[in-house]
Amino acid sequence: MISDYDIPDVVPAGSMAERDQPVLGLPGGLELRPWRADDADALLTAGQDPAIQLWNLFSVRSRDEARARIERMHERWRAETGAVWAIARPGGPPLGLAGLHDVNLAGGNAEIMYWVLPDSRGGGIVVEAARGLSRWALDDLGLHRLRLCHAVANPASCRVAEKLGYAFEGTMRSSLLHADGWHDEHLHALVVEGA
């Protein structure tokens, strides 16, 4: 019998680190694939985009910094604390990023994150990428709950959450510090049904 204090891990340790990060097929001829060292220019471009900087608290100032960030993405996979993919066409450069932040395998949860480069915005790419990533995280990896948090001042991310079926759970007051000050955030979540 399991006591109240002997709760098993939702996802066993090693479930990520003991396998290669997969390539995930998406509709429309897109895929989620691990970032590569030769993607540094795309990451540098993203790090200079004002909208990506604002809503993702993300900037990259050089190719060397971009390459170091890509290596940290791979380190987080091995450490089982994060999982970050490039949104791309097979063999093509990144159009955006989708990933899991703050992965907690034992607790069965993570936060989903994403951004898309300016030329790829408005076509539903981020919704398809986040949908494919959510499906992988819940169905294949075995997480129980995914969070999607965004500044209240970013209604585009609210629309993404709604299209994905992430339930709105409330507003976290003054929870994220941006360059222009503290922002309230909306919290949305997707939970495995019937659990």
Side-chain angles (χ1 to χ4, degrees), residues 7-23:
I7 300 169
D9 291 349
V10 175
V11 177
S15 293
M16 291 169 57
E18 292 175 4
R19 61 180 173 168
D20 291 334
Q21 185 175 354
V23 174

Side-chain angles (χ1 to χ4, degrees), residues 12 26-27 32 35 46 51 60-61 63 68 75 80-81 88-89 91 122 132 135 146 149 151 163 180 182:
L26 300 173
L32 294 175
W35 283 79
V60 176
R61 292 173 283 285
R63 278 191 188 89
E75 290 169 5
E80 301 183 313
T81 60
R89 299 197 183 288
R135 219 174 5 251
L146 296 175
C149 302
K163 289 177 183 178
D180 62 350
W182 288 98

Side-chain angles (χ1 to χ4, degrees), residues 57-74:
L57 304 178
F58 168 76
S59 68
V60 176
R61 292 173 283 285
S62 70
R63 278 191 188 89
D64 287 341
E65 187 178 343
R67 283 191 283 273
R69 280 183 170 271
I70 291 168
E71 182 52 38
R72 282 196 305 274
M73 292 176 192
H74 297 286

Side-chain angles (χ1 to χ4, degrees), residues 97-108:
L97 173 148
L100 300 175
H101 170 68
D102 196 24
V103 173
N104 178 351
L105 294 181

Side-chain angles (χ1 to χ4, degrees), residues 28-187:
L30 295 172
E31 65 183 13
L32 294 175
R33 63 157 173 82
W35 283 79
R36 304 181 302 235
D38 64 353
D39 293 328
D41 285 340
L43 198 61
L44 179 59
T45 298
Q48 302 300 307
D49 180 71
I52 292 173
Q53 286 180 336
L54 175 62
W55 301 125
N56 294 274
L57 304 178
F58 168 76
S59 68
V60 176
R61 292 173 283 285
S62 70
R63 278 191 188 89
D64 287 341
E65 187 178 343
R67 283 191 283 273
R69 280 183 170 271
I70 291 168
E71 182 52 38
R72 282 196 305 274
M73 292 176 192
H74 297 286
E75 290 169 5
R76 288 196 304 256
W77 176 271
R78 292 187 295 269
E80 301 183 313
T81 60
V84 184
W85 282 264
I87 306 167
R89 299 197 183 288
L95 305 173
L97 173 148
L100 300 175
H101 170 68
D102 196 24
V103 173
N104 178 351
L105 294 181
N109 61 77
E111 182 176 346
I112 193 165
M113 59 183 178
Y114 49 79
W115 50 254
V116 180
L117 290 167
D119 291 346
S120 299
R121 292 182 188 144
I125 290 173
V126 76
V127 171
E128 291 304 331
R131 181 175 287 125
L133 176 54
S134 297
R135 219 174 5 251
W136 176 82
L138 299 175
D139 298 344
D140 295 345
L141 184 58
L143 296 179
H144 175 72
R145 176 183 167 87
L146 296 175
R147 298 179 309 283
L148 191 162
C149 302
H150 65 84
V152 172
N154 182 0
S157 276
C158 212
R159 289 190 298 275
V160 169
E162 291 167 357
K163 289 177 183 178
L164 293 171
Y166 276 65
F168 176 70
E169 294 189 340
T171 301
M172 300 180 293
R173 296 183 317 117
S174 197
S175 65
L176 188 61
L177 181 60
H178 285 271
D180 62 350
W182 288 98
H183 281 245
D184 292 351
E185 282 189 294
H186 280 167
L187 169 63

